[in-house]
Amino acid sequence: MIEVSSEKEFKLNARILEVIRQVSEVKYFQGEYSINYRDQYMAENTAWLNEYFDGKKIVLWAHNWHIANSPNYGGVRSMGYHLTQDFGNDYTTIGFLFS
């Protein structure tokens, strides 16, 4: 595939397949046995985008809980928590309130 396109295009297509795998794995259950990989995968995909675009600035738009540095909410860690762990001070949140 690299020979007929480029390494960058190959990486993008490989990531698309990974996202399809992630979607098939994400589970939403109510109760004590809930497992939610959604925010973890959002953070992994953001880190991948950061690498794919050579560390350029990225703006994410998501619900406040997803971007917050929440270490544990009902057994689930937010995307912001994972990004803070991965990027430290290179990750900043900005909250908006409107109605």
Side-chain angles (χ1 to χ4, degrees), residues 28-84:
Y28 298 98
F29 295 108
Q30 298 295 324
E32 62 183 287
Y33 300 109
S34 65
I35 299 172
N36 184 344
Y37 296 110
R38 181 179 178 194
D39 282 77
Q40 176 184 331
Y41 289 154
M42 288 191 297
E44 287 178 14
N45 291 324
T46 301
W48 182 87
L49 285 168
N50 182 66
E51 183 179 323
Y52 184 77
F53 290 111
D54 300 320
K56 303 284 189 218
K57 289 184 181 180
I58 297 173
V59 176
L60 303 172
W61 189 290
H63 184 275
N64 289 349
W65 186 84
H66 292 297
I67 65 169
N69 182 12
S70 181
N72 193 341
Y73 179 77
V76 178
R77 292 181 169 153
S78 67
M79 173 184 65
Y81 172 83
H82 293 290
L83 292 175
T84 299

